[in-house]
């Protein structure tokens, strides 16, 4: 006969005694169960200073809130209560004995993972105690570092570990920390040759400060620059590299709008991109999920800088914007604007412009500026077209001339295709969306080009035109896709995941399907 659902069979341990097998009545108060167990072993300690703890796995304390999670067959341990343990550790970490202090910090780092203990230690101003130890520790024990450097490094490492674990519970606000503490943590990151564990914790603390407090973001940004984080990307420890990129992402995410473009300019510098490509993406060690996620976040934050152009409608009256369309026409047909070439006939010029705009594949042949008044993709589509025309001029001219010589029904209109392709790329690359907390889909090509979005477009528009021709597609295919809100979807599996990219992407395998 199975035991009642409100009864669980467990084994309970106590140092120096044989484990006790017993049934726990979940309806009985936990304090009564602890008293029963301690009386059974004739333990002289006050049962109020005792608690039950998981004997394996997490080792977390059992409370009235989580006791229903106990499973049949669980191994529990009778031990000091979180309150009693917190008081003891609070005293021990302030010991004048280095050995006692070190062992206390090791225990504190382990116990701090448990929210029940964490609450008790924090109630004793434990966070303040740790920050004071960090701020004054290096000065206080400076004379001892030469003869006790290993011990000192371990103490600092466990102090920072305990601090990180305690703060991860979200009990204490990040806004409470002093500039002196921030400067000290930043100094651990900026100092060369720092112990790996100290560096890891310091980077994690800086990331949390930036993400959780606007005031701390400003203070951290004054102490840490992207340039100071670059050396940490050049090492071989992927965890350190991951934390360094996480700090860069945090600074990028929380930067005021006016500063994000400035940060992006730094991020797109050849040096930083090549360092990430060489020391992270092409490193011998496989990229783990957390690193892939941080690379994905960096990619999304950078692509999001295109959101403004994506959501900007073209102003048909803006001459500077209209000049871009004139430039597209000039490059395609090698026509220099000459007001006298047609004998001053306005009608003839308009007729010629209309004819050329039709060849360029605009929907509005008379006033192509109207093609860019829909958002998305807005002006971003025109930016892509101009980039393609200037950087791959031969391919651009070939596409325009090929389509202008085809039958109307087999024409793949460059202008219209460019707008739809840009819109599709915005959807694929999540332009304007906040990074997902779980996604790790980054594209190595992002780190091989200053203008990776535009390069994606250049690949896509050529592939679209090539496949259109091979399929002998017609305008009806295009219209059908538009009506069904479904477009020619271009997949670049190799382009997105290959590292050694050349402009022509030799050997890459592309797929294009019509949905």
């Amino acid at each position: 006969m199975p035991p009642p659902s409100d009864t669980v069979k467990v084994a309970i341990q106590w140092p120096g005694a044989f484990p006790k097998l017993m049934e726990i009545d979940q309806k009985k108060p936990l304090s009564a169960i602890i008293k029963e167990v301690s009386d059974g072993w004739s333990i002289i300690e006050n049962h109020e200073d005792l608690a039950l703890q998981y004997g394996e796995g997490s080792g977390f304390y059992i409370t009235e809130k989580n006791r229903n999670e106990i499973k049949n067959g669980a191994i529990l341990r009778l031990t000091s209560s979180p309150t009693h343990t917190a008081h003891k550790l609070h005293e021990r970490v302030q010991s004048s004995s280095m050995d006692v202090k070190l062992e206390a910090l090791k225990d504190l780092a382990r116990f701090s993972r448990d929210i029940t203990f964490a609450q008790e230690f924090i109630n004793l101003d434990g966070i303040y105690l740790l920050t004071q130890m960090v701020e004054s520790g290096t000065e206080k024990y400076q004379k001892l570092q030469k003869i006790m450097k290993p011990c000192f490094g371990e103490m600092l490492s466990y102090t920072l570990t305990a601090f990180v674990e305690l703060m991860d519970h979200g009990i204490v606000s990040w806004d409470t920390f002093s500039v002196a503490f921030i400067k000290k943590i930043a100094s651990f990151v900026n100092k060369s040759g720092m112990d790996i564990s100290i560096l890891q914790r310091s980077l994690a603390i800086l990331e949390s400060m930036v993400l959780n407090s606007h005031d701390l973001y400003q203070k951290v940004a004054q102490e840490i620059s992207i340039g100071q984080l670059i050396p940490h990307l050049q090492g071989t420890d992927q965890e350190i590299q991951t934390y360094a990129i996480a700090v860069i992402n945090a600074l990028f995410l929380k930067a005021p709008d006016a500063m994000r473009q400035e940060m992006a300019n730094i991020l797109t510098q050849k040096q930083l991109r090549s360092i990430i490509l060489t020391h992270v993406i092409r490193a011998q060690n496989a990229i783990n999920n957390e690193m892939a996620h941080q690379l994905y976040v960096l990619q999304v934050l950078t692509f999001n800088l295109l959101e403004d152009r994506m959501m900007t409608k073209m102003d048909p009256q803006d001459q500077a914007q209209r000049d871009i369309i004139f430039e597209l026409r000039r490059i395609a047909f090698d026509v220099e604007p000459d007001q006298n070439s047609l004998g001053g006939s306005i009608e003839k010029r308009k007729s010629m412009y209309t004819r050329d705009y039709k060849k360029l594949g605009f929907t509005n042949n008379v006033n192509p500026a109207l093609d860019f008044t829909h958002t998305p993709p807005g002006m971003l589509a025109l930016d892509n077209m101009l980039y393609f025309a200037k950087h791959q001029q031969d391919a651009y001219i070939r596409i325009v001339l090929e389509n202008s010589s085809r039958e109307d029904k087999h024409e793949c209109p460059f202008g219209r295709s460019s707008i739809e392709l840009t819109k599709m790329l915005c959807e694929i690359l999540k332009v304007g969306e906040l990074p997902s907390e779980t996604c790790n889909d980054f594209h190595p090509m992002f780190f091989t080009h200053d203008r990776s979005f535009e390069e994606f477009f250049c690949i896509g528009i050529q592939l679209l035109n090539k496949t259109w021709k091979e399929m002998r597609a017609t305008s009806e295919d295009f219209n059908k896709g538009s009506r069904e809100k479904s477009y020619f979807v271009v997949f670049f599996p190799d382009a997105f995941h290959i590292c050694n990219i050349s402009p022509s992407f030799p050997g890459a395998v592309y797929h294009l399907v019509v949905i």
Side-chain angles (χ1 to χ4, degrees), residues 339-347 349:
Q339 298 299 323
N340 299 318
S341 61
L342 297 175
S345 171
I346 296 177
E347 291 302 322
R349 285 203 302 275

Side-chain angles (χ1 to χ4, degrees), residues 5-8 22-37 39 52 62-65 67-68 70:
S5 59
D6 53 9
T7 300
V8 290
M22 66 178 295
E23 293 184 356
I24 291 180
D25 184 353
Q26 292 286 40
K27 295 183 294 185
K28 185 183 294 186
L30 197 57
S31 58
I33 296 172
I34 292 171
K35 185 177 186 306
E36 179 184 340
V37 174
D39 288 345
L52 287 175
I62 295 168
T63 66
E64 292 291 354
K65 291 183 178 180
R67 62 183 295 177
N68 290 329
I70 301 175

Side-chain angles (χ1 to χ4, degrees), residues 260-419:
R260 285 186 185 176
Q261 186 59 58
E262 181 180 341
M263 284 197 66
N265 293 338
I266 298 174
L267 293 172
T268 54
Q269 289 177 356
K270 185 71 175 179
Q271 182 189 18
L272 181 58
R273 288 188 296 103
S274 63
I275 286 172
I276 293 177
L277 192 63
T278 302
H279 295 277
V280 178
I281 297 175
R282 293 177 178 169
Q284 293 183 350
N285 297 331
I287 293 177
N288 60 36
N289 288 337
E290 182 56 32
M291 171 60 84
H293 174 70
Q294 294 300 335
L295 293 174
Y296 151 80
V297 172
L298 180 59
Q299 170 187 285
V300 171
L301 294 175
T302 305
F303 281 143
N304 278 354
L305 294 173
L306 301 170
E307 183 181 11
D308 183 58
R309 293 295 283 176
M310 180 183 76
M311 300 306 296
T312 298
K313 297 180 180 180
M314 184 170 184
D315 180 2
Q317 306 305 317
D318 189 315
Q319 187 59 45
Q321 294 180 359
R322 291 174 63 86
D323 285 344
I324 299 177
I325 297 177
F326 293 152
E327 181 68 2
L328 289 172
R329 174 179 172 271
R330 185 196 66 78
I331 296 174
F333 306 113
D334 194 24
V335 176
E336 294 294 338
D338 185 354
Q339 298 299 323
N340 299 318
S341 61
L342 297 175
S345 171
I346 296 177
E347 291 302 322
K348 285 186 177 181
R349 285 203 302 275
K350 285 184 177 180
S351 175
M352 182 181 67
Y353 290 161
T354 300
R355 180 197 65 202
D356 290 346
Y357 291 149
K358 184 177 185 301
K359 291 180 180 180
L360 284 170
F362 291 112
T363 301
N364 297 280
N365 299 332
V366 176
N367 187 4
L370 297 176
D371 283 21
F372 303 95
T373 56
H374 298 285
T375 57
M379 288 295 291
L380 188 56
L382 190 58
D383 294 341
N384 279 339
M385 294 167 69
L386 184 62
Y387 180 91
F388 179 50
K390 286 188 171 182
H391 290 80
Q392 297 196 33
Q393 186 169 324
D394 291 343
Y396 166 68
I397 293 173
R398 184 180 67 253
I399 286 177
V400 172
L401 294 182
E402 280 182 359
N403 282 290
S404 63
S405 62
R406 292 175 187 168
E407 298 178 50
D408 287 348
K409 69 175 184 177
H410 288 296
E411 179 187 9
C412 180
F414 173 72
R416 186 177 175 188
S417 300
S418 296
I419 292 170

Side-chain angles (χ1 to χ4, degrees), residues 406-510:
R406 292 175 187 168
E407 298 178 50
D408 287 348
K409 69 175 184 177
H410 288 296
E411 179 187 9
C412 180
F414 173 72
R416 186 177 175 188
S417 300
S418 296
I419 292 170
E420 297 297 345
L421 178 60
T422 301
K423 183 178 180 180
M424 184 197 71
L425 286 174
C426 290
E427 294 172 357
I428 292 174
L429 300 173
K430 311 297 184 184
V431 176
E433 298 183 19
L434 287 175
S436 164
E437 294 183 0
T438 58
C439 185
N440 56 11
D441 185 18
F442 76 96
H443 306 308
M445 181 175 163
F446 169 74
F447 298 95
T448 65
H449 290 279
D450 287 328
R451 306 279 294 274
S452 55
F453 189 88
E454 290 86 341
E455 290 293 331
F456 283 145
F457 172 84
C458 291
I459 300 167
I461 197 65
Q462 294 178 77
L463 176 61
L464 177 60
N465 185 73
K466 178 178 181 292
T467 310
W468 185 286
K469 180 171 62 175
E470 292 173 350
M471 293 172 60
R472 293 191 58 77
T474 68
S475 56
E476 292 181 1
D477 295 316
F478 205 110
N479 292 332
K480 177 182 178 182
S482 298
R483 285 197 304 272
E484 296 176 356
K485 303 298 182 184
S486 214
Y487 309 105
F488 280 87
V489 181
V490 184
F491 296 95
F492 324 92
D494 292 336
F496 278 13
H497 298 288
I498 196 169
C499 292
N500 188 15
I501 304 293
S502 66
S504 58
F505 293 85
V509 179
Y510 307 124

Side-chain angles (χ1 to χ4, degrees), residues 204-220:
I205 291 169
L206 292 177
E207 180 196 10
S208 295
M209 285 180 173
V210 172
L211 292 177
N212 291 286
S213 170
H214 176 70
D215 290 339
L216 290 188
Y217 156 75
Q218 295 177 319
K219 295 171 183 176
V220 171

Side-chain angles (χ1 to χ4, degrees), residues 90 93-94 101 125-141 156 159-160 163 176-181 184-185 188:
H90 193 271
V93 297
Q94 299 179 77
K101 182 188 288 287
D125 281 337
I127 292 289
Y128 176 76
L129 172 62
L130 294 181
T131 57
Q132 289 301 301
M133 290 172 62
V134 172
E135 287 180 30
S136 61
T138 49
E139 286 79 12
K140 185 176 180 181
Y141 301 108
L156 181 56
T159 301
L160 294 178
F163 175 84
T176 59
F177 298 106
S178 67
V179 173
F181 180 69
K184 184 63 67 176
I185 296 298
F188 300 149

